[in-house]
Amino acid sequence: MKFKLSFLLLAMLFISCQEKHKSPHVENSKTAIETNLWLDYSKASTTFKLWSPTAELVKLNLYKNGFEGEPFETHELTPSMNEVWTKKISKDLAGTYYTYQIMLNNKWLEETPGIYAQAVGVNGKRAMVIDLETTNPSDWNKDKQLELKSPNDAIIYELHIRDMTIHPQSGSSIPGTYLGLVETGTKGPNEVATGIDHLRALGITHVHLLPTYDHYSIDETKLDKPQFNWGYDPQNYNVPEGSFSTNPYDAEIRIKEFKTMVKAFHDHGIGVILDVVYNHTGRTETSNFNLEAPNYYYRFWEDGKPSDASACGNETASEKAMMRKFIIESVSYWAKEYHLDGFRFDLMGIHDITTMNAVSETLKKINPNIFVYGEGWTAGDSPLPMEERALKKHITKMPQITAFSDDIRDGLKGSVFDDKSSGFVSGAKNTEESVKFGVVGAIQHPQIDYQVVNYSNEAWANHPWQSISYVSCHDNHTLFDKLKVSREDADNTTLIAMDKLANAVVMTSQGIAFMHAGAEMLRTKKGEHNSYNLPDSINQIDWNWKVKNAHVVDYYKNLIALRKAHPAFRMTSANEVRKNLEFKTVKDGLVSYQIGNYANGDTWKDILVIYNANTKVYDYALDDAWQLAVIGDNFTLDDGKAISNMIKVPAISMLIAYRK
């Protein structure tokens, strides 16, 4: 009976993974899933491992460096019953570079560093045997990740490492690098703080780094020539990008400098979130996945054509056991080895729900404070059945995961796909329910008419922290550019008021607050939609903006201070929000609500929030006496002016009053 059951299990695994267009036997052993495929290094020996179910032969090439020359040794790997090829070499190989090659149909494929490579040479072509202990900065064992009572305590700042310090007036001595980002004491024009000092003063809790694993786009041998890319073209998933290091030729340096950056952020009370792109690879035929197990890691349509839900040329198949294993082990590696505080999944909707739940459950065991969020959509159709996709509408099936709310994003400023589309802050009609939906964090609330929310006709979050509240990110226009292109008739003063109101709503909403780097200083990309490979002149943070728009920077600082000081804006459960948050006057261009009962342990008993998107002052009738906390640009969080009967809410602004 045991034999029959084992045979049936093997057969089921075989059938589930085999497809007509693929080589005939793929993943027919459960033990491959349970095998540790990471390099096994010690000073005494190193064991190399590669899972390749269709290979006829596998060889290991050893090199003196990571970029040139012939191998000084070549070894054959030995296959096992679980389709894992291994070779143990009994000597200290630390610092030795290596590649694998598989033979398929009697032909050697290109060399690959292997998908489990932890260190690579310049441009990621060759992996390196490494003693990771040697890459730890001073006191790494004392490094502490951030602790959060609830995920929506986070205030996330999304940045690209090069953007923050590459401007000639950034004050950085090593611009465009991991170390440059955390260099303290840097000054810009008029002696304004830049880099990490700016982030500390702003008050954000986490930085979200656009992809900083090794990607194809940047030629690391030509860093004297300006190059830019967001990095959504993965090459080596488990290695930091070399172009942000001071020496991409030395495999250890990028690792140590990445860790040094993380520790510096932690030392200043800022968490680090990594943007991860497991949904597609930068190349297809010659990707590291295909050079190990051709076609296995990707999805295909029934006719054998590759699917492309990423709109980047391919899509990976997270539902396949070895791909799921890779994703889970990869994020776990980053969490443990690099002490990361969270992960943002690009096009999370391409992945399956089971995998995403396994990711979050595994990470929570490593660090209960880690959180996982992603884009709850795809960029195209997929063979993965709709009901299995990790989409925004399926967040209720993913209890520890958060999704971006495009509902509040476009409700506030207009559709990202239509330049002329406007939103609540820019004068659009009938957007109030979308704003309300965003305010409560996409949960079920009795006062919301879900039939007129812009993209969702029902609640999609179990808890308010499962929704990312935001109005702009690296994609599409910056907030200020979007307002400008959609309201060409508005003057600069009006556009600035719209900008401030948009993120005022974000910072007083119940979801996780998220902002795009530079939004606080009216960042512009000169009207560009998609700047993923455009020059520094488009993408860089120009620190002159901080001088020119100092009053806007101050407004954002005050918004962040307000949110951090008052936990009523970040309640932890849907029941808490339903119990304590009540919408009051809602009409064209106006949304007001009241939070009561010292919500979430707040020091204020009652809080009144009014968003006036109208171009005229609004006379708001008060039911009782209040104290004024925010009006226009003025923030008084203690001992505010007493008000009663009626208050004039300035045009295109937020007003907050409270009772103790």
Side-chain angles (χ1 to χ4, degrees):
M1 186 65 178
K2 279 185 179 179
F3 171 77
K4 287 183 178 179
L5 284 173
S6 298
F7 180 80
L8 180 61
L9 176 63
L10 293 176
M12 288 174 68
L13 281 167
F14 174 74
I15 292 167
S16 70
C17 298
Q18 185 182 9
E19 296 180 18
K20 291 180 182 177
H21 57 277
K22 294 182 180 172
S23 301
H25 100 280
V26 176
E27 197 191 342
N28 59 5
S29 174
K30 182 183 177 185
T31 56
I33 304 165
E34 298 168 349
T35 300
N36 180 346
L37 294 175
W38 299 84
L39 197 72
D40 188 4
Y41 164 79
S42 72
K43 289 186 180 297
S45 66
T46 299
T47 302
F48 298 86
K49 294 169 260 186
L50 190 82
W51 178 74
S52 186
T54 52
E56 294 153 12
L57 292 172
V58 178
K59 67 179 178 180
L60 170 72
N61 304 304
L62 300 182
Y63 293 92
K64 295 291 186 185
N65 63 55
F67 60 96
E68 64 183 2
E70 297 298 313
F72 68 85
E73 283 182 18
T74 298
H75 300 267
E76 280 194 14
L77 275 67
T78 304
S80 61
M81 292 298 291
N82 62 6
E83 299 158 343
V84 176
W85 301 70
T86 63
K87 177 64 181 179
K88 182 177 181 179
I89 299 177
S90 296
K91 57 181 174 179
D92 189 353
L93 289 176
T96 302
Y97 290 84
Y98 67 92
T99 63
Y100 299 105
Q101 273 183 286
I102 75 164
M103 179 181 280
L104 193 64
N105 299 324
N106 210 33
K107 180 182 177 183
W108 289 107
L109 300 188
E110 288 183 28
E111 294 176 71
T112 173
I115 62 174
Y116 284 91
Q118 295 161 292
V120 297
V122 69
N123 283 336
K125 297 293 187 182
R126 298 173 183 175
M128 192 185 84
V129 180
I130 190 166
D131 179 356
L132 286 164
E133 286 287 324
T134 66
T135 67
N136 293 342
S138 178
D139 291 330
W140 185 239
N141 62 330
K142 297 178 182 177
D143 180 56
K144 291 186 177 179
Q145 290 145 298
L146 256 68
E147 294 184 9
L148 298 174
K149 290 182 180 178
S150 176
N152 55 346
D153 286 346
I155 300 171
I156 301 170
Y157 189 93
E158 182 204 50
L159 63 85
H160 183 279
I161 287 175
R162 185 177 176 90
D163 288 355
M164 291 298 291
T165 58
I166 203 63
H167 190 272
Q169 292 175 281
S170 72
S172 174
S173 63
I174 35 177
T177 64
Y178 299 121
L179 299 183
L181 181 59
V182 294
E183 191 178 1
T184 58
T186 58
K187 300 290 184 183
N190 286 24
E191 295 296 297
V192 297
T194 62
I196 193 172
D197 291 346
H198 170 76
L199 299 177
R200 287 176 59 203
L202 193 59
I204 53 98
T205 67
H206 291 71
V207 290
H208 161 156
L209 306 177
L210 262 62
T212 43
Y213 50 74
D214 186 50
H215 46 264
Y216 286 105
S217 307
I218 309 299
D219 185 345
E220 296 171 4
T221 68
K222 297 178 180 177
L223 296 184
D224 55 338
K225 172 187 172 184
Q227 300 175 73
F228 184 88
N229 202 282
W230 282 341
Y232 291 93
D233 56 336
Q235 182 175 5
N236 292 293
Y237 280 95
N238 301 306
V239 186
E241 164 62 18
S243 66
F244 302 138
S245 74
T246 58
N247 181 5
Y249 288 87
D250 187 328
E252 289 187 25
I253 287 177
R254 65 178 76 189
I255 297 172
K256 187 166 187 175
E257 290 179 350
F258 189 103
K259 289 178 176 178
T260 300
M261 174 192 67
V262 171
K263 187 172 187 304
F265 274 123
H266 286 169
D267 288 347
H268 290 102
I270 298 173
V272 182
I273 297 163
L274 188 64
D275 198 324
V276 290
V277 189
Y278 296 105
N279 67 80
H280 72 272
T281 55
R283 295 176 185 175
T284 304
E285 290 302 316
T286 59
S287 74
N288 291 331
F289 285 134
N290 263 343
L291 293 175
E292 288 188 24
N295 295 329
Y296 170 77
Y297 288 99
Y298 298 91
R299 292 192 187 125
F300 297 82
W301 294 105
E302 288 185 2
D303 62 4
K305 291 181 180 177
S307 52
D308 186 19
S310 69
C312 293
N314 57 58
E315 65 177 291
T316 57
S318 61
E319 71 281 8
K320 293 181 182 177
M322 295 301 282
M323 186 66 201
R324 179 176 291 159
K325 168 185 171 73
F326 177 78
I327 294 172
I328 294 168
E329 292 187 2
S330 179
V331 293
S332 298
Y333 172 71
W334 281 101
K336 291 176 182 176
E337 187 64 35
Y338 291 93
H339 300 184
L340 294 181
D341 301 270
F343 296 89
R344 178 266 193 192
F345 276 71
D346 182 67
L347 294 177
M348 184 173 69
I350 293 175
H351 299 313
D352 68 289
I353 292 170
T354 300
T355 296
M356 289 308 304
N357 280 332
V359 163
S360 62
E361 289 163 11
T362 303
L363 288 173
K364 288 289 186 183
K365 290 175 184 174
I366 296 169
N367 175 7
N369 293 291
I370 282 181
F371 57 100
V372 177
Y373 60 97
E375 294 178 301
W377 47 76
T378 67
D381 198 11
S382 171
L384 185 69
M386 187 70 71
E387 64 273 14
E388 295 178 26
R389 300 180 194 176
L391 298 166
K392 180 182 73 172
K393 67 180 180 180
H394 294 148
I395 284 294
T396 54
K397 300 178 183 178
M398 295 178 276
Q400 298 185 96
I401 292 175
T402 299
F404 283 94
S405 175
D406 52 346
D407 302 282
I408 190 171
R409 180 195 71 196
D410 291 3
L412 286 170
K413 70 173 184 183
S415 171
V416 297
F417 301 112
D418 178 1
D419 284 2
K420 298 303 178 186
S421 170
S422 56
F424 175 76
V425 303
S426 43
K429 302 295 182 187
N430 303 316
T431 53
E432 290 75 26
E433 293 303 308
S434 296
V435 172
K436 289 165 60 182
F437 182 78
V439 165
V440 300
I443 63 164
Q444 182 64 42
H445 191 284
Q447 289 181 284
I448 295 173
D449 182 355
Y450 292 87
Q451 298 309 306
V452 291
V453 172
N454 51 3
Y455 303 136
S456 302
N457 57 12
E458 61 182 355
W460 49 259
N462 288 319
H463 310 287
W465 52 260
Q466 288 190 288
S467 169
I468 293 273
S469 304
Y470 78 124
V471 73
S472 62
C473 66
H474 68 279
D475 276 323
N476 310 298
H477 284 120
T478 68
L479 172 57
F480 196 67
D481 284 348
K482 169 60 177 176
L483 294 171
K484 199 170 185 178
V485 74
S486 63
R487 286 295 309 274
E488 292 178 338
D489 59 319
D491 61 27
N492 201 56
T493 301
T494 302
L495 292 173
I496 291 172
M498 293 173 179
D499 178 285
K500 291 190 294 186
L501 178 57
N503 270 313
V505 176
V506 167
M507 290 295 167
T508 51
S509 291
Q510 295 295 322
I512 296 175
F514 176 105
M515 64 181 288
H516 183 212
E520 73 278 12
M521 51 184 101
L522 306 181
R523 182 180 188 173
T524 177
K525 292 187 180 181
K526 301 179 182 177
E528 292 289 348
H529 262 284
N530 188 4
S531 67
Y532 78 98
N533 64 349
L534 296 181
D536 293 329
S537 58
I538 299 297
N539 284 295
Q540 67 192 351
I541 298 295
D542 182 341
W543 292 97
N544 288 289
W545 298 332
K546 186 175 179 181
V547 177
K548 180 182 176 182
N549 303 306
H551 65 295
V552 183
V553 177
D554 287 342
Y555 186 84
Y556 274 74
K557 283 182 185 177
N558 285 328
L559 284 178
I560 291 168
L562 169 73
R563 182 174 182 85
K564 290 170 79 172
H566 290 284
F569 294 118
R570 39 195 168 87
M571 288 180 264
T572 60
S573 73
N575 283 337
E576 214 179 349
V577 175
R578 284 189 287 267
K579 175 185 175 184
N580 298 315
L581 192 152
E582 179 185 4
F583 289 99
K584 296 295 188 178
T585 304
V586 177
K587 54 176 65 176
D588 286 348
L590 190 110
V591 172
S592 69
Y593 62 92
Q594 191 170 316
I595 302 174
N597 308 313
Y598 299 105
N600 199 22
D602 207 293
T603 56
W604 289 345
K605 179 184 178 185
D606 300 310
I607 304 173
L608 174 65
V609 181
I610 307 169
Y611 308 131
N612 179 19
N614 294 290
T615 55
K616 295 180 179 178
V617 171
Y618 185 88
D619 292 335
Y620 191 94
L622 298 171
D623 58 358
D624 207 339
W626 294 81
Q627 286 179 270
L628 197 56
V630 181
I631 184 167
D633 286 347
N634 297 317
F635 285 70
T636 309
L637 302 189
D638 293 303
D639 300 321
K641 175 186 173 184
I643 56 173
S644 59
N645 300 320
M646 188 269 290
I647 184 70
K648 290 184 178 292
V649 185
I652 315 179
S653 75
M654 175 181 74
L655 183 144
I656 294 180
Y658 64 94
R659 285 193 287 243
K660 287 190 175 180

